[in-house]
Amino acid sequence: MDNRPIGVFDSGLGGLTAVKELRRLLPQEDIVYFGDTGRVPYGSRGRDTILAFAAQDMAFLKRHDIKMVVSACGTVSSVMTDQLARSIGVPFTGVVLPTAQAACAASTTGVIGVIGTSATVHSGSFARAVRNIRSDARVLGRPCPLFVPLVENGYIAPGNPVTKLVAQEYLSAFDDEPEMDTLILGCTHFPLIYDIIADYFHYDITLIDSGKATARYVEGFLTEQGMLARREKPGETEYYVTDAADDFSSVAQRFLGSPLGDQVHRIPIEELGALPQERK
Amino acid sequence: MDNRPIGVFDSGLGGLTAVKELRRLLPQEDIVYFGDTGRVPYGSRGRDTILAFAAQDMAFLKRHDIKMVVSACGTVSSVMTDQLARSIGVPFTGVVLPTAQAACAASTTGVIGVIGTSATVHSGSFARAVRNIRSDARVLGRPCPLFVPLVENGYIAPGNPVTKLVAQEYLSAFDDEPEMDTLILGCTHFPLIYDIIADYFHYDITLIDSGKATARYVEGFLTEQGMLARREKPGETEYYVTDAADDFSSVAQRFLGSPLGDQVHRIPIEELGALPQERK
């Protein structure tokens, strides 16, 4: 038993899709969520910048006596180094391994698509993770950089003509791949436009939600390690963001499907703390 | 005469539209450009965050012995405080005043539209500046937050269907304003989709490019103050960015219309320096 909170971080709001699933699966857990809304998005940035930001984000979470760190960000998870993941001193998981496992379990043909930010797809992270599990798999990647600003600007209704048009352009990359039966949503923003993506494929393809897959992985990991929380009442979730907390609360409801309450705090970026020594 | 460089900064690449015009008008000037590509965009962030970033950006420019600071960013210019502008110790201009002057000079009817980021339009900065010059003016604002990611992702060709669709949605806000004869492009990204915007209005409306207007203002200011550079050969432009310099160079060409050469340096965000005391 371990009643310390689970630390979850993301470049902004996308990680809330993982939080939503964690709260459903593990209602007794306390969660500390950190969203770097002052510097979102990460997915269009270079690798060094992303790693420097991630190091600060994790250092901040570490101050909350967490039992585990979850990077609920496809971009951070894709460029994470073993050294940085270990430097935090508690178990770490990103979204890549859990999502690759879910995709391999779902696919019959072994032809699996990956969509995500530019940094994520260009890193080849999901393709490597899938092939580690299933060496005969064929993995097809397509960066979809505009999906993040479209979601953050609320262009998420199933029939939204702008998002549909952008989706057609991006997803047509898979038109000549009739064998592809599974598509990884490698960015935690993408589940908000699940229907638009699924509709393009006439719902014939299994979409893997990386936030959900990661939440299920965390459940399995904590169970196995004997680290689940045990308490009488439901756990609490606290939110920390680096930009105005008001803006966060209103958009966050869209991701969580329920109001946040008073648990949102703004933490200025300059107070995140120094980067761990390992980064120098 | 003053041979020190002009310092120009922006959240990212948009300010290059001002640099392009400065180099055309004042070829003998040295320019130091700072683009905070590691934290772009600013326009969707809260006021405190934008001011904190701007203070760091200007502190960095100040290290280069500049004679003037130009905020070539509609968002920063819109939320800038007198105190912060003065704290830098050299003359400051943003884009708001120069652009408002150009718009007032261009408008016959006094009905002027403003498009920009959410932070810019919600600040009311351009409306105030226009009414200070022309108290009978009527100013109509419309945030166009998706234009920035569309431009940064290269959706700028005149017939681009996605950008056209988004433009139709945004600009239809002005459909019931036949008197509007001038539109301020209050974000330095927007000149890259000039044709798409102009096309919506059948080219009947004067579009005011805030980068160009600001460059002309700087020319007038330096001339009046006797602060123009005088040297035998053309001035040089140095570029500093907070994300990978390679990515910057390739996209920057789109803004400048010419290659950058070897003058691009990456400066990690943690080396920007502390915020000036005035911000505390």
Side-chain angles (χ1 to χ4, degrees):
Chain A
M1 188 192 84
D2 189 336
N3 277 354
R4 292 178 298 167
I6 302 168
V8 181
F9 75 102
D10 178 48
S11 58
L13 299 153
L16 295 175
T17 58
V19 169
K20 185 180 175 184
E21 188 72 2
L22 275 176
R23 297 211 301 197
R24 198 179 69 78
L25 294 173
L26 302 170
Q28 77 286 11
E29 296 290 337
D30 283 347
I31 297 171
V32 178
Y33 183 81
F34 174 79
D36 193 6
T37 53
R39 300 189 295 199
V40 72
Y42 286 4
S44 50
R45 310 201 194 282
R47 186 171 176 280
D48 290 349
T49 301
I50 297 163
L51 285 173
F53 289 178
Q56 288 185 306
D57 302 346
M58 295 197 295
F60 174 78
L61 278 180
K62 190 69 199 297
R63 286 193 236 151
H64 290 82
D65 191 28
I66 47 172
K67 63 182 167 189
M68 180 172 193
V69 174
V70 181
S71 157
C73 174
T75 301
V76 168
S77 307
S78 291
V79 303
M80 181 59 60
T81 63
D82 284 350
Q83 195 189 29
L84 182 56
R86 270 199 304 266
S87 74
I88 212 68
V90 293
F92 167 91
T93 188
V95 301
V96 174
L97 176 65
T99 307
Q101 288 176 343
C104 288
S107 178
T108 307
T109 61
V111 182
I112 296 171
V114 178
I115 57 175
T117 65
S118 298
T120 294
V121 175
H122 292 141
S123 76
S125 59
F126 284 102
R128 274 193 305 279
V130 165
R131 278 195 227 98
N132 276 345
I133 299 166
R134 192 168 162 168
S135 60
D136 67 329
R138 202 153 62 83
V139 184
L140 314 158
R142 176 64 160 110
C144 300
L146 274 174
F147 280 169
V148 172
L150 286 168
V151 167
E152 299 229 329
N153 281 283
Y155 283 56
I156 58 174
N160 186 286
V162 174
T163 306
K164 270 180 73 174
L165 192 60
V166 174
Q168 277 160 18
E169 186 190 317
Y170 286 151
L171 302 176
S172 67
F174 303 116
D175 280 357
D176 298 330
E177 298 291 347
E179 297 262 282
M180 186 179 92
D181 65 353
T182 303
L183 179 66
I184 289 175
L185 309 185
C187 172
T188 44
H189 277 81
F190 296 0
L192 274 84
I193 51 170
Y194 187 101
D195 280 324
I196 292 175
I197 298 167
D199 197 40
Y200 182 83
F201 298 106
H202 308 287
Y203 293 82
D204 280 344
I205 275 182
T206 306
L207 304 187
I208 307 294
D209 176 331
S210 55
K212 275 192 185 172
T214 303
R216 281 190 289 263
Y217 178 92
V218 170
E219 181 191 29
F221 177 87
L222 293 179
T223 306
E224 248 174 54
Q225 305 292 319
M227 286 171 68
L228 288 169
R230 236 174 277 159
R231 52 168 65 84
E232 303 283 302
K233 48 180 191 171
E236 293 188 352
T237 308
E238 272 202 296
Y239 302 90
Y240 293 87
V241 289
T242 49
D243 198 0
D246 296 351
D247 297 353
F248 176 82
S249 299
S250 55
V251 188
Q253 282 200 42
R254 199 182 289 153
F255 284 79
L256 281 174
S258 60
L260 293 183
D262 302 325
Q263 310 279 59
V264 186
H265 314 280
R266 179 172 181 233
I267 167 101
I269 287 166
E270 58 270 28
E271 289 171 25
L272 288 185
L275 313 184
Q277 284 304 319
E278 289 79 352
R279 288 279 312 135
K280 298 285 173 187
Chain B
M1 189 191 86
D2 190 334
N3 276 354
R4 291 178 298 167
I6 302 168
V8 180
F9 76 102
D10 179 46
S11 58
L13 299 154
L16 295 175
T17 59
V19 169
K20 185 180 177 185
E21 188 72 3
L22 275 176
R23 297 210 301 196
R24 198 179 68 78
L25 294 172
L26 301 171
Q28 76 285 10
E29 297 289 337
D30 283 347
I31 297 171
V32 179
Y33 183 82
F34 174 80
D36 193 6
T37 52
R39 300 188 296 198
V40 72
Y42 285 6
S44 49
R45 310 200 194 284
R47 189 171 174 278
D48 290 350
T49 300
I50 297 163
L51 284 172
F53 288 179
Q56 288 185 307
D57 302 346
M58 296 198 296
F60 174 78
L61 278 180
K62 190 68 199 299
R63 286 193 235 153
H64 290 82
D65 191 28
I66 47 172
K67 61 183 168 189
M68 181 171 193
V69 174
V70 181
S71 156
C73 174
T75 301
V76 168
S77 306
S78 291
V79 303
M80 180 59 58
T81 63
D82 285 350
Q83 195 190 27
L84 182 57
R86 272 200 303 267
S87 74
I88 211 70
V90 293
F92 168 91
T93 189
V95 302
V96 174
L97 176 65
T99 307
Q101 288 175 344
C104 288
S107 177
T108 306
T109 61
V111 182
I112 296 171
V114 178
I115 57 176
T117 64
S118 298
T120 294
V121 174
H122 292 140
S123 77
S125 60
F126 284 101
R128 276 193 304 280
V130 164
R131 279 196 225 98
N132 276 344
I133 299 166
R134 192 168 164 170
S135 59
D136 67 329
R138 202 153 61 84
V139 184
L140 315 158
R142 176 64 159 111
C144 301
L146 274 175
F147 280 170
V148 172
L150 287 168
V151 167
E152 299 228 329
N153 281 284
Y155 282 57
I156 59 175
N160 186 286
V162 175
T163 307
K164 269 180 74 175
L165 192 60
V166 173
Q168 277 162 15
E169 185 190 317
Y170 286 153
L171 301 175
S172 67
F174 302 117
D175 281 355
D176 298 330
E177 298 290 347
E179 297 261 282
M180 187 179 94
D181 65 353
T182 304
L183 178 66
I184 289 174
L185 309 185
C187 173
T188 45
H189 278 80
F190 295 1
L192 274 85
I193 50 168
Y194 187 100
D195 280 323
I196 292 175
I197 298 167
D199 196 40
Y200 182 83
F201 299 107
H202 307 288
Y203 292 84
D204 281 344
I205 275 182
T206 306
L207 304 189
I208 307 294
D209 176 329
S210 55
K212 276 193 183 170
T214 303
R216 282 191 288 263
Y217 179 92
V218 171
E219 181 190 29
F221 178 87
L222 293 177
T223 306
E224 247 174 53
Q225 305 291 320
M227 286 170 68
L228 289 169
R230 236 175 276 159
R231 52 168 64 86
E232 304 281 302
K233 49 180 190 168
E236 294 188 351
T237 307
E238 273 202 295
Y239 302 90
Y240 294 86
V241 290
T242 49
D243 199 359
D246 296 351
D247 296 353
F248 176 81
S249 298
S250 56
V251 188
Q253 282 201 42
R254 200 183 288 153
F255 284 79
L256 281 174
S258 60
L260 294 182
D262 302 326
Q263 309 279 59
V264 187
H265 313 280
R266 180 173 180 233
I267 166 103
I269 288 165
E270 58 271 28
E271 288 171 25
L272 288 184
L275 313 185
Q277 284 304 319
E278 287 79 352
R279 288 276 315 135
K280 298 285 173 188

